[in-house]
């Protein structure tokens, strides 16, 4: 009866999931960050483990209460802070993975240099921060992936028109070279810091291969179903 409740259809699969959001230090007391709680990524890790997968969760700045949802004998957690650390952890973990899901929100830019002293108004240099672009982690993974590996990216978009949102997601999927791209609307009512989520999954040729709307765990279920279909 248990197997009916939790089909172990991912048994033997090795998966890597990134979750949370990177923080790029400005000085010892400040950073550039984003609003990702890590809940969707943690739900993806928990769902995969429940279905039998061996999971590496690369967690960027996730609070203990959210991370507690990922406690499972088949989940190993690596914690990272910056985009550079996330990239290094992902390249290491992805080398032996069947599936990589990049659910973390990565800072697009980082301060060109982090000051080791707190910047002050008095110093007159706190009104401008020089930025340098961070490397695209998932595009790098896709460009040098091992044979047979499936790669999934996420995109939070604020375009409220569904067709415009899909088109942007299609271009993003092509640009990154990933198999699937899950796109969600991130406005004041949806997405970041919310319990629920609504996504569409763009696949081969830009087709909408699945959609899901509900708790982050329900969305995770639909995403793993879509991954299974693309691999079979
Ligand atoms: N991503 C990444 N490395 C980056 C930036 C993004 O791996 N430096 C990944 C994210 O984890 C996500 C996907 O790329 O899975 C899409 O992120 P998004 O921010 O939507 O894409 P960008 O290419 O940064 O485009 P935008 O200008 O819309 O932010
Ligand atoms: Ca971005």
């Amino acid at each position: 009866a248990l197997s009916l409740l939790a089909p172990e259809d991912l048994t033997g699969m090795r998966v890597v999931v990134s979750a949370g959001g990177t923080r790029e230090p400005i000085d010892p007391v400040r950073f550039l960050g984003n609003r990702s709680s890590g809940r969707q990524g943690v739900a993806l890790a928990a769902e995969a483990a429940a279905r039998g997968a061996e999971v590496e969760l690369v967690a960027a700045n996730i609070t203990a209460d959210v991370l507690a949802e990922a406690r499972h004998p088949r989940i190993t957690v690596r914690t990272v802070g910056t985009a550079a650390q996330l990239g290094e952890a992902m390249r290491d973990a992805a080398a032996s993975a069947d599936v990589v899901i990049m659910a973390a929100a990565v800072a697009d830019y980082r301060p060109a240099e982090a000051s080791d002293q707190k910047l002050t108004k008095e110093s007159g240099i706190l009104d401008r921060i020089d930025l340098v672009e961070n490397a695209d982690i998932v595009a790098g993974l896709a460009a040098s992936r091992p044979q047979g590996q499936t790669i999934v990216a996420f995109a939070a978009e604020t375009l409220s028109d569904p067709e415009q949102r899909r088109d942007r997601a299609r271009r993003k999927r092509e640009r990154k070279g990933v198999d699937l791209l899950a796109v969600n609307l991130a406005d004041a009512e949806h997405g970041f810091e919310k319990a629920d989520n609504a996504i569409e999954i763009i696949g081969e040729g830009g087709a909408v291969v699945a959609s899901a709307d509900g708790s982050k765990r329900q969305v995770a279920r639909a995403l793993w179903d879509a991954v299974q279909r693309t691999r079979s």
Side-chain angles (χ1 to χ4, degrees):
L2 249 181
S3 65
L4 287 174
L5 293 172
E8 298 213 334
D9 61 332
L10 304 180
T11 299
M13 203 177 269
R14 296 204 282 189
V15 312
V16 182
V17 178
S18 73
T22 70
R23 292 181 176 180
E24 311 302 317
I26 296 168
D27 68 17
V29 299
R30 304 183 180 92
F31 59 83
L32 290 178
N34 60 71
R35 293 186 184 279
S36 179
S37 66
R39 283 198 181 87
Q40 185 60 71
V42 165
L44 283 159
E47 173 69 10
R51 282 161 69 163
E54 292 292 335
V55 183
E56 285 226 48
L57 175 61
V58 181
N61 305 295
I62 301 180
T63 59
D65 61 315
V66 173
L67 207 51
E69 305 285 316
R71 224 173 275 147
H72 188 286
R74 279 190 296 269
I75 300 181
T76 307
V77 179
R78 304 189 191 205
T79 59
V80 297
T82 64
Q85 291 166 355
L86 176 60
E88 197 180 314
M90 291 306 289
R91 284 186 290 278
D92 184 51
S96 57
D98 301 300
V99 181
V100 175
I101 300 192
M102 191 73 187
V106 185
D108 293 307
Y109 292 83
R110 67 179 181 279
E113 50 189 327
S115 170
D116 59 3
Q117 296 293 308
K118 185 185 149 183
L119 302 178
T120 63
K121 286 179 280 185
E122 199 176 41
S123 71
I125 56 168
L126 194 46
D127 59 342
R128 246 163 236 278
I129 300 167
D130 286 329
L131 301 176
V132 293
E133 195 170 347
N134 281 326
D136 192 316
I137 299 167
V138 79
L141 295 176
S144 60
R145 69 171 94 184
Q147 183 96 44
Q149 184 179 79
T150 304
I151 305 186
V152 183
F154 267 76
E157 303 290 353
T158 53
L159 291 167
S160 56
D161 179 66
E163 204 41 57
Q164 283 186 5
R165 202 160 65 236
R166 276 176 212 123
D167 278 340
R168 213 175 125 69
R170 288 180 178 116
R171 292 196 299 276
K172 201 170 269 188
R173 178 185 165 277
E174 288 293 331
R175 196 164 69 231
K176 292 181 186 271
V178 298
D179 301 291
L180 299 175
L181 187 135
V183 57
N184 73 299
L185 176 63
D187 61 12
E189 281 94 61
H190 306 85
F192 286 177
E193 299 175 320
K194 300 291 185 301
D196 284 6
N197 201 5
I199 62 163
E200 283 187 333
I201 302 172
I202 309 293
E204 191 66 55
V208 179
V209 297
S211 63
D213 185 345
S215 70
K216 289 187 173 177
R217 188 60 179 255
Q218 287 171 314
V219 166
R221 207 162 289 151
L223 195 126
W224 282 113
D225 290 346
V227 167
Q228 282 286 63
R229 284 196 301 276
T230 59
R231 290 178 64 81
S232 63

